[in-house]
Amino acid sequence: MPILMQYACFACRKVFKKPMPGQSAAEHPCPHCAQPLIMMGTAFRAPRRTDEPQWRKVEQLVSAGIFFYRNSGPRPKLLNEVPAFLQANARARQSPGERTLERIAKSGVRSSRHKQGPLKSLNIEGKTVFEVAGQELRSWMKVLVRDGNEWLKGSFRSTGDGGKAVEPHVVIGRKKIFIEPQTVLRWPE
């Protein structure tokens, strides 16, 4: 004897008992409107046909994957409680790692000085301004530059000794590393 499940038609607001999925090959259409029936679970109790908010609440829960079985926990009583319930339910299903990643994403980056990226050149009011990871970079500021497989600490330069503009570079002792489009800079910690 097949196990019967509760199926609902949200268009007609009616409930029918049909065989469980896998026990019959066909999808169950509504006998009144021919729309596909939605499986609700074995412990679903339908609201009154005239209670539209309760039917919308049930439809939102089922579309979010919340079905009705015995001992499956409390459900929201009102339609306006559904969003908070779904958010709490999604949070409860997260692994500890997913919760940690969510917390990190919400907190944002603590300081843009720890970011890295290419040097950007902006022309603001006729003056060239340089920035790395969203923070302005001026001559003589300390910065890390990637040289092969290591980070070297040096001073950024965009002007020569006479204050004239020169090609941007990082001075490390007596060595100059000229900044090219693929050069990655990082703020020191």
Side-chain angles (χ1 to χ4, degrees):
M1 182 169 174
I3 298 173
L4 298 178
M5 297 284 266
Q6 299 274 16
Y7 284 81
C9 175
F10 292 108
C12 299
R13 295 190 195 137
K14 290 187 176 184
V15 177
F16 305 93
K17 286 189 177 183
K18 299 286 182 180
M20 195 167 116
Q23 294 183 338
S24 68
E27 198 176 83
H28 303 296
C30 175
H32 301 285
C33 69
Q35 294 282 336
L37 294 175
I38 308 297
M39 184 181 73
M40 305 300 287
T42 55
F44 176 68
R45 296 187 75 204
R48 291 185 177 167
R49 287 186 66 201
T50 57
D51 194 353
E52 184 182 341
Q54 288 298 340
W55 276 98
R56 286 195 324 212
K57 174 194 79 171
V58 169
E59 187 174 15
Q60 286 181 12
L61 290 172
V62 171
S63 67
I66 308 295
F67 298 100
F68 297 84
Y69 294 98
R70 295 189 197 286
N71 301 324
S72 59
R75 301 278 186 261
K77 295 193 183 323
L78 302 172
L79 178 62
N80 63 359
E81 296 172 352
V82 172
F85 173 80
L86 293 177
Q87 187 176 16
N89 190 44
R91 182 141 174 83
R93 290 182 179 184
Q94 285 180 329
S95 70
E98 289 171 322
R99 285 193 292 273
T100 301
L101 288 173
E102 183 180 301
R103 189 174 63 247
I104 290 169
K106 283 182 182 176
S107 69
V109 178
R110 299 210 191 296
S111 170
S112 64
R113 291 184 61 90
H114 298 288
K115 287 178 142 183
Q116 68 184 32
L119 180 72
K120 291 185 182 176
S121 174
L122 307 170
N123 192 349
I124 300 175
E125 298 176 6
K127 182 182 173 190
T128 303
V129 177
F130 297 98
E131 69 174 39
V132 172
Q135 184 175 348
E136 185 179 352
L137 179 62
R138 287 177 262 139
S139 282
W140 298 108
M141 290 181 88
K142 298 295 182 194
V143 69
L144 298 172
V145 62
R146 185 92 173 164
D147 186 31
N149 290 332
E150 61 182 333
W151 290 98
L152 302 175
K153 188 173 185 177
S155 298
F156 173 75
R157 299 289 288 138
S158 63
T159 57
D161 290 333
K164 296 178 183 172
V166 296
E167 189 175 344
H169 60 279
V170 176
V171 177
I172 303 160
R174 293 180 175 239
K175 181 179 178 182
K176 290 182 182 178
I177 298 177
F178 287 94
I179 299 172
E180 299 173 3
Q182 68 272 12
T183 305
V184 177
L185 300 174
R186 186 173 82 188
W187 291 104
E189 296 178 10

